[in-house]
Amino acid sequence: MNWDTIQGQWKQAGGQVKEKWGKLTDDDLTVIAGKRDQLVGKIQERYGIAKDAAEKQLADFEKGYPSDAAARAAKSTH
């Protein structure tokens, strides 16, 4: 997944980000505004993990993002 796609869909993606990393606040998501490096920093800060661990979690999220979004959309229509 290209981060540009997530950034372009930040309002929708932000909800999924918050589901995955529940310690992030709405204010955090507003400040992050789709900026990947800021999201990594906030994940590090909120969860007390190293940058490489936060990067890995975010990379895993990116890989699953399109299918997660499609799955959620399918569920909401049923």
Side-chain angles (χ1 to χ4, degrees):
M1 162 57 50
N2 186 328
W3 184 258
D4 291 337
T5 303
I6 293 174
Q7 187 174 22
Q9 300 174 353
W10 186 245
K11 289 195 187 276
Q12 296 87 350
Q16 291 180 356
V17 166
K18 195 166 178 191
E19 280 183 34
K20 179 157 179 71
W21 295 284
K23 291 182 181 180
L24 297 177
T25 66
D26 289 334
D27 287 343
D28 289 337
L29 297 180
T30 300
V31 169
I32 292 165
K35 296 178 192 94
R36 192 180 192 283
D37 60 332
Q38 289 191 12
L39 179 55
V40 169
K42 280 296 179 187
I43 293 168
Q44 283 182 263
E45 179 184 326
R46 296 284 187 242
Y47 288 89
I49 60 175
K51 182 176 183 176
D52 60 337
E55 287 277 2
K56 179 170 181 352
Q57 288 182 16
L58 189 51
D60 290 345
F61 173 80
E62 288 177 79
K63 288 177 195 169
Y65 177 74
S67 60
D68 286 351
R72 289 178 206 286
K75 284 182 185 177
S76 68
T77 60
H78 293 289

